[in-house]
Amino acid sequence: MDPCPFVRLTIDSLALRLPETATNKQVGGEVHPSATPCYCKLRIKHFPSQRALLPLSSFSDASSPPDSSTSAPGFHLDADAIRRVSGKKISLRVSVYAGRTGHTCGVASGKLLGRVEVAVDLAAALSRTVAFHNGWKKLGGDGDKPSARLHLLVRAEPDPRFVFQFGGEPECSPVVYQIQGNIKQPVFSCKFSSDRNGRSRSLPSGFTYSSRGWITRTLSGDQWEKKQARERKGWMITIHDLSGSPVAAASMITPFVASPGSDRVSRSNPGAWLILRPHGTCVSSWKPWGRLEAWRERGAVDGLGYKFELVTDSSSSTGVPIAEGTMSTKQGGKFIIDRRVSGEGESPARSSPVKGFVMGSSVEGEGKVSKPVVHVGAQHVTCMADAALFVALSAAVDLSVDACQLFSRKLRKELCHDDQSSLS
């Protein structure tokens, strides 16, 4: 099946130039301009608004690009959203404020400096990249009087994606469907297992993974039994193609252990998964592709903290971080790998090799039925086995919500250890 059509509206090269009289004063009355006290809100009708900080440009030439700039997360439109706006006049409205972002006593902080609007035709970007504006725009002002100016580059580009959905919760070993419009077609099946011995079929007997290195000896069976009530271990989900051949897997390789004196997995000692791809002709031989760490964040609202990195060398204990963030354990959220900052708490690493949108997966909160929907950028899929890796990663993120559940709570039966050892 072909990927689903998506369009991405990007807003880049954002910068603000203030009148000379304003740059000599404190902007907003609180913060000096060198500390970037200005920000903007970006809105398109029927879409959630976004925010971005605005660096101040010192260039006075209206034809020159800014000396420093930033980017906004951007907007993503699927085929249904594109149909809704097709033929309609759509505007991107950017409101610029001076002062700190956030709210004080329920009232938005920051002084409005002005607004600009850019007309966009998103349907035109289904097959090609379209630029709608590139340059400076005046933020109001009377006549020839000096006024602030905003620089922005607004464009839309095709961003096709493969869309998958689990037919049930990952721990229930569901079928995974590929979605295109109203068509739903099975492409993968899942097999979840929980190994009592805490060892994975994917690794040599007697060895497991540690977050501080690749290889450590496993504990004896008696030691595992004593610690069983304070840790979750041995979970594995294998993704099979329609022929029944395994094409990807996620293996819990570092147990999720309650930190001393608490009933939660701490950031200082996270649990970890390896995302695996087949290696060689043997069905039980795997090669690490990525590593996911997860823990439970403390705070006013409990959060699932996570970090994902690509494994570049199986003999090394380090990888290349490409996604890190936090999402609410109660409300859930989205796990996203994207070069741009998008999603709740997402922040790609500075040295990340990621270019554009890679994947996104829905995550439900604790106690809710979860059937993850997975989006994968078409440019990152050369075969269905590539897509299976992202499906396995999505399952690992979803299962981490359960693995990071407070140890004072009981897990559902599907997550408990198999009656017989999977190695027997």
Side-chain angles (χ1 to χ4, degrees):
M1 294 178 68
D2 294 328
C4 297
F6 275 73
V7 167
R8 175 177 225 175
L9 181 69
T10 61
I11 303 95
D12 297 310
S13 194
L14 282 166
L16 182 66
R17 187 173 68 231
L18 297 174
E20 290 187 9
T21 54
T23 57
N24 294 326
K25 301 178 181 179
Q26 288 187 337
V27 180
E30 295 181 354
V31 188
H32 192 270
S34 62
T36 313
C38 299
Y39 66 96
C40 64
K41 293 181 181 179
L42 303 99
R43 298 179 184 274
I44 293 181
K45 193 174 182 180
H46 305 308
F47 288 86
S49 63
Q50 300 180 1
R51 292 191 181 197
L53 292 175
L54 290 174
L56 299 179
S57 175
S58 59
F59 286 4
S60 59
D61 186 354
S63 62
S64 299
D67 49 354
S68 63
S69 65
T70 188
S71 298
F75 298 87
H76 304 263
L77 293 86
D78 59 16
D80 290 337
I82 296 169
R83 279 193 292 268
R84 287 196 302 269
V85 302
S86 182
K88 298 179 180 179
K89 293 183 178 180
I90 303 297
S91 293
L92 168 69
R93 173 178 288 190
V94 185
S95 302
V96 178
Y97 297 85
R100 293 187 177 96
T101 62
H103 293 75
T104 303
C105 299
V107 179
S109 61
K111 177 184 177 182
L112 179 65
L113 298 181
R115 296 187 176 94
V116 300
E117 290 193 7
V118 178
V120 296
D121 180 8
L122 298 171
L126 279 170
S127 58
R128 60 188 178 91
T129 299
V130 181
F132 304 109
H133 179 81
N134 184 16
W136 295 95
K137 288 183 78 75
K138 194 174 182 180
L139 292 177
D142 298 327
D144 296 329
K145 290 184 179 180
S147 63
R149 291 179 178 270
L150 177 71
H151 190 280
L152 69 168
L153 168 58
V154 182
R155 57 188 172 186
E157 57 189 8
D159 188 22
R161 304 175 185 180
F162 291 96
V163 181
F164 305 93
Q165 183 172 21
F166 286 72
E169 295 177 287
E171 61 267 33
C172 296
S173 301
V175 171
V176 177
Y177 300 91
Q178 183 178 358
I179 309 295
Q180 188 179 48
N182 296 324
I183 302 174
K184 185 167 71 170
Q185 176 177 320
V187 289
F188 301 118
S189 62
C190 302
K191 176 61 178 177
F192 175 80
S193 61
S194 180
D195 181 359
R196 181 186 300 277
N197 293 320
R199 284 198 307 235
S200 167
R201 298 183 186 90
S202 61
L203 298 174
S205 177
F207 293 91
T208 186
Y209 177 84
S210 166
S211 61
R212 300 187 183 278
W214 276 104
I215 303 244
T216 56
R217 285 284 177 182
T218 56
L219 298 175
S220 69
D222 290 341
Q223 289 173 302
W224 279 125
E225 292 297 328
K226 291 179 181 179
K227 298 178 68 177
Q228 196 164 6
R230 301 295 293 170
E231 63 181 18
R232 290 152 186 159
K233 64 182 184 295
W235 297 1
M236 183 172 183
I237 187 164
T238 308
I239 312 300
H240 300 262
D241 62 18
L242 294 181
S243 70
S245 300
V247 287
S251 178
M252 183 187 285
I253 209 69
T254 298
F256 285 68
V257 182
S259 60
S262 76
D263 62 348
R264 66 177 64 220
V265 180
S266 67
R267 182 168 191 165
S268 61
N269 188 28
W273 300 78
L274 283 184
I275 312 303
L276 306 159
R277 66 192 321 160
H279 179 60
T281 57
C282 180
V283 295
S284 61
S285 179
W286 298 94
K287 181 179 180 179
W289 171 74
R291 182 178 67 194
L292 173 72
E293 292 183 349
W295 60 91
R296 193 178 182 101
E297 291 277 15
R298 291 183 178 274
V301 178
D302 276 4
L304 176 73
Y306 58 85
K307 177 182 178 181
F308 178 71
E309 57 188 27
L310 292 177
V311 175
T312 57
D313 185 350
S314 59
S315 65
S316 172
S317 62
T318 60
V320 180
I322 60 173
E324 185 172 2
T326 306
M327 69 180 74
S328 169
T329 56
K330 182 178 180 180
Q331 301 297 330
K334 287 187 177 181
F335 172 83
I336 299 175
I337 301 177
D338 194 333
R339 183 58 182 171
R340 294 169 178 270
V341 177
S342 54
E344 187 176 0
E346 283 282 349
S347 59
R350 293 179 181 177
S351 59
S352 171
V354 169
K355 294 182 179 180
F357 175 84
V358 179
M359 74 159 288
S361 176
S362 62
V363 183
E364 294 294 340
E366 291 179 340
K368 298 179 181 179
V369 176
S370 181
K371 299 179 181 180
V373 176
V374 187
H375 291 186
V376 183
Q379 62 178 322
H380 300 285
V381 177
T382 58
C383 60
M384 292 307 287
D386 291 339
L389 288 169
F390 296 105
V391 171
L393 174 57
S394 171
V397 174
D398 187 85
L399 289 166
S400 293
V401 175
D402 296 296
C404 288
Q405 186 173 285
L406 297 176
F407 281 81
S408 57
R409 299 175 184 173
K410 187 176 180 180
L411 290 176
R412 57 183 298 174
K413 62 179 182 179
E414 289 84 359
L415 295 166
C416 296
H417 290 132
D418 298 334
D419 291 333
Q420 295 181 345
S421 170
S422 59
L423 295 177
S424 62

